[in-house]
Amino acid sequence: MIICCSVLLGFLVFIHEGGHYLASRAFGVRVTEFMLGFPGPSLSFKRGETRFGVTCVPLGGYAKVCGMEPGPMSPHLESVLAAMYRRGTANLEDIMEDCGLPEEDTLAALDELVEWGSLTGPRKTDKYNTYRAMEVAAPSARRARKLQAQGKPVPVAYEEGQARPVEDPAALFQSEYRQQYRSLPFWKRSVILLAGVAVNLVFALLAFVLIYSVLGFDYQYPSGEIKHVTIGPLQACMAGISYIGMVIQAVAGLFNPSTAAQVVSDSTSVVGIAVMTKTAFEQGLVNVLTLTAMLSTSLGIMNLLPIPPLDGGRFVVEIVQKITRRTASANVMGYLSLAGMVLFMGFFAIMLNQDIQRFIFGNWG
């Protein structure tokens, strides 16, 4: 039961994060990690600038999109980046001396460049705060030929921590900045934020089409006769859209004081999902696909809630920043995220208590 539930939820989170990853790469934004599971030790491989893998706790997943750190940029990124690339590998004190900056400013710039994927941060085995310039992989032969045909320079391969020439610090900084989420216009950032939700909902619609138009379902006629029937893809899509509308209406009920308690009461935690997953696997493929489509819809819609750190909360912050023309500070984002986590932990505790009581008394109706 636990394994089936973990695989199912892991798959849905994986495709959700895959939406963020694909949208980011489509806009040229660097993604340094795409992992299945919570952050931690992992089995992984690197392709290009992204490390793909599975962590030791394979529940959920994440895509590390570069340049999403809150607050304004450090004003010293250009000089610190140039100093790091000239050295390749350097301690905090080395960069402080090269740039003539105090420790606090240097450390802030270095850590931000780590978030950008331009540098790698200190390792546990490092005696001092040692930073390293990122690895630059050689382009494929096909890519190299294409760049040459276009009259563009072919990137030179560098190992991690290897020194490299810096002829134009401003150009170097701009090349790194253009690969960051924060460099994009509002509409592209919005697409990246909402891409995960879109993938979940599209998957749900495709699953409903597969169920209703290909596999078929049992339908009971008014006479009491039960037949296995199929419907057209358009009708199946409309049925899926209707279900998505119902979920949106239910989630919206959380913001209505007269219906919020009932919505929470009708919801379930991971314990209830595990029980439903076990039942679905026992009943066959159609039931598994139906449950998967329902969970994918719920995951997508719940992520639209305007509460950081959910996608909907980040999107609302982007809208506010666009209107006010001001960047939300790291402290503000931290407080909002903390408030959101406290709220969700409260919901989770209530739903978990409900599910435990249902499990004890055997009432999952």
Side-chain angles (χ1 to χ4, degrees), residues 39-59:
S42 63
L43 294 174
S44 60
F45 66 94
K46 193 170 185 179
R47 183 174 181 179
E49 296 178 329
T50 307
R51 183 165 296 279
F52 300 88
V54 180
T55 68
C56 60
V57 184
L59 295 173

Side-chain angles (χ1 to χ4, degrees), residues 16-36:
H16 178 93
E17 295 299 329
H20 295 310
Y21 170 80
L22 293 175
S24 299
R25 296 304 301 135
F27 293 139
V29 175
R30 179 181 291 147
V31 182
T32 53
E33 293 184 27
F34 184 62
M35 294 287 178
L36 179 61

Side-chain angles (χ1 to χ4, degrees), residues 65-76:
V65 180
C66 293
M68 295 189 77
E69 68 279 356
M73 293 191 301
S74 165
H76 308 295

Side-chain angles (χ1 to χ4, degrees), residues 187-211:
W187 75 269
K188 288 186 177 181
R189 294 200 301 268
S190 300
V191 169
I192 291 175
L193 289 176
L194 301 180
V197 173
V199 169
N200 280 126
L201 298 183
V202 168
F203 171 81
L205 287 177
L206 292 176
F208 282 126
V209 170
L210 178 60
I211 294 166

